[in-house]
Amino acid sequence: METSQNIQETLSSNEIMLNLTDLKKVYPTPNGDYVVLEDLNLYVKKEEFITIIGHSGCGKTTMLSMIAGLNEITDGKISILGSSIKGPGPDRGVIFQSPSLMPWMTAMENVMLGVNKVFPHGNKKEREDICKYYLNKVGLSGAFHKKASELSQGMQQRVGIARAFAIKPKVLLLDEPFGMLDSLTRGELQDVLIEIWNKEKITAVMITHDVDEAIFMSDRVVMMTSGPSAKIGDILPIEFERPRSRKKVLAHNDYYEYRKHLINFLEH
Amino acid sequence: MKDSLLRAFRFLGLGFLEPVVRLAAGEDSKKNVIQIFKKVLAPIASMILFLGIWYTGSKSLYNKEANYAIEKTRSERGDAESEKTRDCIASGDVSCQPNTLPSPKQVWNSFQLLLEDHRQISANKEAFIVKTSALNKKRLEQGKDPIVYTGRPSFVDQIKTSIKTVFAGFLLAFLFATPIGIIIGLSETLRNSFNWLIQILKPVSPVVWLLLVFMIVKTLTKDSTGDTSYIISFISVGLCSMWATLVNTAVGVSSVDKDYINVAKVLKLGTFQKIFKVILPAALPLIFTGLRITLSVAWMVLIAIELLAQSPGLGSFVWEEFQNGANDSNSKIIVAMFIIGFIGFLLDQIMLTIQKLISFDKGSDV
């Protein structure tokens, strides 16, 4: 943590997109307060992709939903470009673990729901073009008008990705977005996500359980200690060049060093 | 052709005819014959079994009544008279038939008779309208009310009246209970504050509702001379049946999947959009389940309410027949019973079809 603080001091404040300072979350229970997060400090630079890894129940999702504004902050501060967040808002796009599409709407309508909100001034054609652009990007050019309930899990999550990018958020929050998919689909969707991200370079915070996913996707892997009172345990910068290819990453010598480092942390 | 036919059948709730269509189209004959046996012949067999039990049951009840009548005459008036009674019963003379559960055949005959009666009454009515049309025109010019047919309504007319009443009641329940259910569902405070009222009023019997409505409507319509029994009965039907919709709507609206709500929050949808684009569509399956229950409850209580409110319809038909005690009254009551059941089933099918059309949740066809 000391290292992270030091780096932060050397960065000028306008390079930091998202900043969590002394974040604390307490859930009251019948047996007294339960402290989920305490003294959590983390910053994310502009155009940075970080992943958060840690044991189940350590408070990763709590932290992410606090950033999203869906969960109240007990103490501390979350700020985007220097200003504190107040509740949820379209400057933070969220991709949930379950696709969370409205099953009664088509793929297009689902994406449109957010686009309408963010670009209320554009005409219908323009808004539709935005939706189409992102649906094409996630490989759903043939399924614009399919009902969400008719799409497979993988395709639904593609719509979820399109919906999140289409509102052009400042920060993208991903809560184990591929956790419910089989490993083949997961690989495909990682490629889809990273490809669209390479273009848009939206600051992203992603929770994952998958060490390989974390190394492949992110610039830094943030390791959280186990709860209660979870905080940042360690941060591992991943120095691979972008755009990355899975093959090259896997063949790189550092890959196994990174992997060992992460697994070591998780096992202790 | 075949596929669209199958889809149409399934849509209309005639899915059991699927193997027949497939067989006719020349598909795998062995599999389809088995399917026909399962889906078509087995229900027919159960129908035959049902009629058989009905027939034997009514026969034995008939014999019991007949023997009792013969024995009674014997003990009261001697052997000769009892022989006469026996012959009278055996001859099928209407004057001495035992009054008990009618056989399927008697019920069928009554059904035919009722239809015949309907044809006759309709003919009378038409003749009456033709006859009075000239006179009515003149009365209209003089500013008088036209003369209307006031003869006895036929069985079919009673059915029509009943359906009209049930739809008026259902509409009332729908217009009243859905908006209230939505409002209550959206606000936890309102839900908590009105819960006691709903829980207490929900189990109240149709009869009591009828009396309550009667008290209110009677006073409200003090100045009017018209027949209020129809108004009373449809309002009572609506009040009895609306609870299912109210509770289901409130539950549906308040228990929308947290994920959908989170999406709405993250996208910062306005209240209006949140309600109409997210919450209502998500709650629609439950709302519809409520409406289906409401319609079937409405149909069920309608008969009792018509009977008590003296308003025309199937309920008063049944009651009049029961009071009538004529020879074929019992079989007419059974006819009414089947008609009531059949229409109830039909109404439910209609609701199911509408639900399939507008709801996203295609899985719920229970």
Side-chain angles (χ1 to χ4, degrees), chain A residues 70 86 88-90 92 94 96 98 100-105 113-114 116-117 149 163 167, chain B residues 256 259-270 273 276-279 281-283 360:
Chain A
L70 295 171
K86 287 178 198 71
R92 281 148 287 152
V94 186
F96 299 93
S98 70
S100 311
L101 303 181
M102 312 294 158
W104 53 88
M105 292 182 179
L113 198 62
N116 278 343
K117 182 72 202 172
S149 51
R163 178 173 63 186
I167 60 172
Chain B
V256 170
D259 286 346
Y260 303 155
I261 300 290
N262 277 344
V263 170
K265 273 189 192 160
V266 169
L267 297 176
K268 270 225 153 148
L269 297 182
Q273 265 207 321
F276 284 92
K277 290 225 157 151
V278 179
I279 292 177
F360 72 95

Side-chain angles (χ1 to χ4, degrees), chain A residues 23-80:
Chain A
L23 200 62
K24 187 178 182 180
K25 180 70 194 181
V26 177
Y27 281 121
T29 70
N31 310 323
D33 288 351
Y34 179 79
V35 183
V36 189
L37 304 171
E38 199 167 23
D39 294 329
L40 193 146
N41 287 287
L42 180 70
Y43 71 93
V44 188
K45 284 182 287 187
K46 277 181 185 166
E47 304 197 347
E48 192 180 27
F49 196 126
I50 70 161
T51 47
I52 295 174
I53 204 161
H55 289 284
S56 296
C58 74
K60 303 184 297 283
T61 301
T62 306
M63 186 185 96
L64 200 80
S65 62
M66 281 162 87
I67 303 175
L70 295 171
N71 207 333
E72 265 175 51
I73 301 168
T74 310
D75 204 7
K77 207 172 92 175
I78 298 176
S79 55
I80 287 180

Side-chain angles (χ1 to χ4, degrees), chain A residues 162-177:
Chain A
R163 178 173 63 186
F165 275 98
I167 60 172
K168 298 204 186 296
K170 292 197 180 92
V171 180
L172 196 62
L173 304 167
L174 305 101
D175 185 3
E176 283 185 59

